[in-house]
Amino acid sequence: MRFLITLAFIISSLWLQAQEPFIDLTTPQAAAKTFLTNLEGEDPNDSLAALPFDPQKRTFQTARRSAIKLKRVLDGRGIILYLDEIPKSANYLDSASNKNKYILLEEHPKIFLLKAENGKWYFSDSSIDTIDELYDETFRFGTGQLLNLLPRLGTRKTFGLYTYQYITIFLLALISALVYKVFSFFTERIFSRIVKKFGYEGEASEKYLWQIARPTSVFIIVLLLLLFTPALQLPVTYSKYVNLILRVMLPLFGTVIMYRMVSIASVFLMRMAQRTESTLDDQLVPLLRKTLKTFVIIIGTLLILDNLDVPILPLLTGLSIGGLAFALAAQDTIKNFFGSVMIFIDKPFQVGDWITANDVDGTVEEVGFRSSRIRTFRNSVIYVPNSKLADNTIDNHGLRKYRRFYTQISITYDTPPEMIEVFVEGLRQIVEDHPHTWKENYHVYFNEMASSSLNIMFYVFFNVPTWGEELQARHEILMSIMRLGREIGVHFAFPTQTLHIENLPGQPSLSPSFLSGQEAEMKLQTFFKKG
């Protein structure tokens, strides 16, 4: 029996001690504890919690209001004050300022405790102003007024939460579902109609806009939750993780939205590129899309890390040092990148052009960030680094307005001069009649007496855009020449040797005979008189 009486006395003493308010301002830890403990529990005492705010220096109402605001900010933002980490020394000195000063929140250095002349620790004047600013930032658009209305919905506590908190969570979930449906409907019906008017039906309107509508709806819901969650005044541990999740979801879905918007923009740009004559911009759009998507992912990742309270500046500093080392190790890759930039700026060629650069000869199929893909006439593929293409001399056959065709037409030595004149005139007429020859600039002349043939120079230009059409024009011209030669009886020569045996027994001599000098002079004068 005596044991039970002693146990009951101990329990009652502990209960009375727990109910007894804590008041102590002699140390930074004690002042912070006085502020916190008197505002916790089901029966908070804001009058005692206002004591660390020096009600003698300022009005009691101001001190009381500042205490309540600071507690609501801590609970709304999920900021936990670990009392064990706060100094217990009454003469604590701040190492930076060498004053009796303790910064309560590292992320908000303007909120700090100062030791007064009476030896007690109070919140500074700057703390009061900063608390007001933080309160306005935490409870925006009048959501702070809900703190006076929501508790009226029910103050009974179940599983750590009040009834009004359960009701508010249910209302937020209902509003979130409604916002998701309304915005998705708005995007699908209204935006798709606008896009269809610009001729993108069935592509961007159905595929991409719907992909944007969903994450955008979630993004707006996260914004609403970030706006109203502080007003719930959840337990600080719950509030910390809820706010952390919401602050991570905000840049995450923002990154998804921007990533998909890049896809939509690339569809529009590709349509615009297809309307231009140049094919190089058709390759520029995919490269731009990849670059923007990479940039969006990097920025989104940095924002997520920042919201996770990961120090970004040391990370960027480390990346810059690592980037320098990487740049030194990847000089060729960087040179190729800037080579591709110069190709896109100068446009020495475009996709589909036939180019020659040193030992590279073929048709350009693709221009990438590092290299360009060229299809050779052997149907093989060559990947040429863009830095080499940017530095080398490029002969762009695709930019030719006229394509030259030069050949020698060889006829036999027994062709009479009159027949040569007729044949040359016929060749010129072939050039005049062909639809794809340059009529203002061509040359057809008998210009060489070779070892086994009489050669006629045939020098023309074709006004055709592609190599295939050039080959077709060559084919047509050569076939016309063959038909002309057969029609007028001209024989085409090929390398031959004729063996003459001058003297055979019983046969007349084949040795040539010549005129005398006087007879030859008379023939010469007669020839030029006729001419």
Side-chain angles (χ1 to χ4, degrees), residues 25-26 51 54 56-57 114-122:
L25 304 177
T26 57
L51 294 178
D54 198 1
Q56 296 179 355
K57 185 177 180 180
L114 278 177
K115 185 178 181 181
E117 295 179 356
N118 59 5
K120 296 182 179 180
W121 289 78
Y122 298 105

Side-chain angles (χ1 to χ4, degrees), residues 72 135 138-149 227 230-231:
R72 288 177 176 178
Y135 187 84
T138 306
F139 303 98
R140 298 180 179 180
F141 306 108
T143 54
Q145 300 298 326
L146 297 175
L147 296 173
N148 301 324
L149 300 176
L227 183 64

Side-chain angles (χ1 to χ4, degrees), residues 135-415:
Y135 187 84
D136 294 336
E137 291 178 5
T138 306
F139 303 98
R140 298 180 179 180
F141 306 108
T143 54
Q145 300 298 326
L146 297 175
L147 296 173
N148 301 324
L149 300 176
L150 292 177
R152 298 178 184 178
L153 299 177
T155 56
R156 185 177 179 182
K157 208 168 188 179
T158 307
F159 298 110
L161 296 179
Y162 293 101
T163 304
Y164 79 87
Q165 292 173 329
Y166 285 109
I167 295 174
T168 308
I169 291 173
F170 173 76
L171 292 175
L172 285 176
L174 186 63
I175 293 172
S176 300
L178 183 63
V179 169
Y180 181 83
K181 292 292 184 181
V182 169
F183 192 85
S184 299
F185 174 82
F186 178 80
T187 303
E188 181 183 9
R189 298 295 178 89
I190 306 300
F191 285 176
S192 60
R193 290 180 183 178
I194 295 174
V195 173
K196 287 178 182 179
K197 290 183 180 180
F198 289 94
Y200 296 98
E201 183 176 0
E203 190 172 351
S205 59
E206 297 180 2
K207 181 180 179 181
Y208 294 106
L209 284 181
W210 182 243
Q211 292 181 1
I212 284 184
R214 295 177 181 177
T216 304
S217 301
V218 178
F219 183 82
I220 293 176
I221 291 170
V222 172
L223 282 176
L224 291 175
L225 293 177
L226 281 172
L227 183 64
F228 288 102
T229 298
L232 288 175
Q233 292 292 284
L234 298 172
V236 65
T237 305
Y238 296 169
S239 183
K240 176 182 179 181
Y241 291 106
V242 168
N243 277 280
L244 182 63
I245 293 172
L246 293 177
R247 286 191 291 116
V248 170
M249 290 178 64
L250 191 67
L252 176 63
F253 282 94
T255 303
V256 172
I257 294 169
M258 296 303 298
Y259 187 88
R260 293 181 177 178
M261 285 185 68
V262 171
S263 299
I264 292 181
S266 65
V267 172
F268 295 157
L269 292 175
M270 184 60 73
R271 287 287 186 90
M272 295 175 61
Q274 290 174 353
R275 297 172 186 170
T276 61
E277 296 181 359
S278 174
T279 56
L280 194 60
D281 50 5
D282 296 342
Q283 294 294 320
L284 182 60
V285 172
L287 293 177
L288 185 62
R289 181 181 66 245
K290 294 176 183 178
T291 303
L292 290 178
K293 284 186 175 182
T294 303
F295 180 76
V296 167
I297 291 174
I298 293 174
I299 297 299
T301 303
L302 291 177
L303 290 175
I304 291 173
L305 293 176
D306 184 59
N307 285 347
L308 287 172
D309 297 328
V310 176
I312 300 298
L313 186 59
L315 179 62
L316 293 177
T317 303
L319 289 176
S320 63
I321 297 174
L324 178 61
F326 176 79
L328 293 174
Q331 295 183 38
D332 292 339
T333 302
I334 296 174
K335 286 170 60 179
N336 290 328
F337 171 76
F338 283 104
S340 64
V341 172
M342 295 308 299
I343 289 174
F344 282 113
I345 293 176
D346 295 340
K347 296 182 180 179
F349 55 81
Q350 59 184 358
V351 176
D353 283 351
W354 168 25
I355 67 170
T356 301
N358 289 347
D359 55 345
V360 177
D361 188 24
T363 304
V364 180
E365 288 191 344
E366 182 182 353
V367 180
F369 269 139
R370 179 191 172 276
S371 61
S372 296
R373 188 174 67 196
I374 298 176
R375 176 81 58 179
T376 68
F377 297 107
R378 302 184 304 276
N379 202 33
S380 61
V381 176
I382 299 177
Y383 289 89
V384 184
N386 288 330
S387 60
K388 292 186 177 180
L389 284 178
D391 292 338
N392 288 339
T393 301
I394 297 176
D395 185 4
N396 191 340
H397 307 284
L399 293 180
R400 292 179 299 175
K401 185 176 181 181
Y402 299 101
R403 296 171 180 258
R404 189 188 69 167
F405 175 44
Y406 170 77
T407 187
Q408 294 277 1
I409 301 174
S410 301
I411 58 178
T412 58
Y413 262 94
D414 58 1
T415 307

Side-chain angles (χ1 to χ4, degrees), residues 442-456:
Y442 66 90
H443 302 281
V444 180
Y445 296 101
F446 172 43
N447 77 323
E448 185 180 6
M449 301 177 69
S451 60
S452 60
S453 63
L454 303 174
N455 293 339
I456 300 172

Side-chain angles (χ1 to χ4, degrees), residues 488-499:
I488 65 177
V490 170
H491 300 285
F492 297 102
F494 50 89
T496 57
Q497 289 183 346
T498 302
L499 180 62

